Amino acid sequence: MPEDVIPVIRTDIPHSARIWNYWMGGKDNFEIDRIAGDAGTQVDPDIETMAVQSRQFLVRAVRHLAAEAGIRQFLDIGTGLPTMQNTHEVAQSVAPESKIVYVDNDPMVLTHARALLTNTTPEGVTTYIDSDYHEPEQIIADARNVLNFTQPIGVMFMGVLGHARTYDDLRRIVSTVMDAVPSGSYLTMWDGTIDSQAYVDLCEGYAKTGGVPYVPRPQEEIRAVFDGLELVSPGFVSITQWWADEDDSELSEARPISAYGAVARKP
Ligand SMILES: C[S@@+](CC[C@H](N)C(=O)[O-])C[C@H]1O[C@@H](n2cnc3c(N)ncnc32)[C@H](O)[C@@H]1O
């Protein structure tokens, strides 16, 4: 979308990016989102924990990719509203020259991205693509203007793929992107699973509000998205259990939640 176009922001229906922002403790949401968010918390008291813990997982994963795996390019698809410790801030704090391309299709995310998702370092690059992930070929074409697809890229789908229209679409979206990146690239992905009936009920209730439905899936279906990739230790786990630094004591204290994911390397 050109810079001078003002996107239409619907305040009469709740939106997942804004509800997620509310659950994470952010301020970028409307009353309709807070009503939907509070209704969701009544149904699934764990949902705020999932939102907060998902950001902690993102921070640990990006820090690992930047500090241990040497990744300097990130493609974060389904960015969400900027909150605390966004991908570019974490990556550029480790490696100031890191390049980050954010992708989302929500107009409010777009306006905030223009204002807030900007470089934290003079050497770094932070850009934003307004695009629907159901058209991954377009995302790759646009990302090529910024990222070098002959060098490893950290691809991220963080709690976003439940919005895919079908499971086949979900698999096609991820595999199209992973096919386009070179060996040594990484997929970091998590999603909500059907292990918690409260979370399933929450998603069913949300679908009735008019927002784009979010579909929780069985663990095996989420796990299968990593087929053909090499899982980084500790593997495919509840995101509260993903901790690449084995000596960190928080790992043993974290309670598993019905949000599963992994970090995996393309061989
Ligand atoms: C639950 S939020 C997660 C945000 C972020 N990844 C995080 O970890 O906090 C889901 C995000 O996916 C975005 N999204 C939903 N459907 C999308 C689509 N078809 N294409 C691109 N982004 C989409 C929403 O706008 C929203 O920002």
Side-chain angles (χ1 to χ4, degrees):
M1 189 179 290
E3 291 273 311
D4 55 350
V5 173
I6 299 170
V8 177
I9 294 168
R10 296 279 303 264
T11 58
D12 55 336
I13 48 175
H15 193 284
S16 84
R18 300 185 317 231
I19 300 174
W20 198 245
N21 173 269
Y22 177 55
W23 284 331
M24 285 173 84
K27 301 268 177 280
D28 299 312
N29 43 72
F30 297 110
E31 191 182 2
I32 191 94
D33 307 308
R34 294 189 284 277
I35 291 169
D38 288 341
T41 311
Q42 293 288 319
V43 176
D44 181 4
D46 260 357
I47 192 65
E48 284 179 10
T49 305
M50 189 190 287
V52 171
Q53 287 293 329
S54 76
R55 183 50 52 121
Q56 296 308 317
F57 171 57
L58 180 150
V59 170
R60 293 194 294 273
V62 172
R63 198 179 289 140
H64 173 79
L65 291 173
E68 309 298 329
I71 297 295
R72 296 292 177 263
Q73 310 188 96
F74 292 84
L75 181 57
D76 183 349
I77 301 176
T79 310
L81 287 162
T83 46
M84 64 299 285
Q85 295 187 287
N86 303 295
T87 299
H88 71 290
E89 290 158 339
V90 180
Q92 290 175 347
S93 72
V94 176
E97 72 276 26
S98 298
K99 294 180 177 178
I100 290 86
V101 173
Y102 288 116
V103 182
D104 208 290
N105 70 339
D106 179 51
M108 187 149 155
V109 174
L110 172 65
T111 51
H112 280 71
R114 283 177 181 160
L116 293 175
L117 296 177
T118 54
N119 281 337
T120 54
T121 59
E123 312 92 308
V125 177
T126 305
T127 59
Y128 181 84
I129 297 172
D130 176 28
S131 195
D132 184 332
Y133 62 43
H134 289 92
E135 292 171 24
E137 294 85 359
Q138 187 59 49
I139 291 174
I140 294 160
D142 290 344
R144 279 188 198 282
N145 293 327
V146 178
L147 304 180
N148 176 352
F149 275 66
T150 67
Q151 296 294 315
I153 295 174
V155 176
M156 301 166 61
F157 289 95
M158 308 299 274
V160 298
L161 287 169
H163 281 307
R165 281 184 213 113
T166 66
Y167 185 63
D168 283 350
D169 278 336
L170 186 160
R171 296 298 298 270
R172 177 183 59 82
I173 291 160
V174 177
S175 62
T176 303
V177 178
M178 291 311 293
D179 285 351
V181 298
S183 167
S185 294
Y186 284 80
L187 172 64
T188 303
M189 191 270 291
W190 75 267
D191 220 334
T193 65
I194 60 170
D195 299 274
S196 156
Q197 186 57 43
Y199 178 65
V200 173
D201 293 345
L202 169 87
C203 292
E204 283 176 5
Y206 178 66
K208 291 180 191 146
T209 65
V212 180
Y214 204 91
V215 180
R217 295 197 157 84
Q219 268 186 51
E220 310 81 71
E221 290 190 5
I222 306 297
R223 167 71 183 74
V225 176
F226 293 97
D227 284 356
L229 304 175
E230 299 162 348
L231 293 176
V232 170
S233 176
F236 180 77
V237 292
S238 173
I239 56 173
T240 57
Q241 309 284 292
W242 194 93
W243 207 287
D245 305 323
E246 285 166 23
D247 61 347
D248 205 301
S249 56
E250 287 186 50
L251 175 62
S252 55
E253 291 165 17
R255 177 172 63 92
I257 56 173
S258 64
Y260 281 75
V263 178
R265 182 180 181 277
K266 180 173 176 176

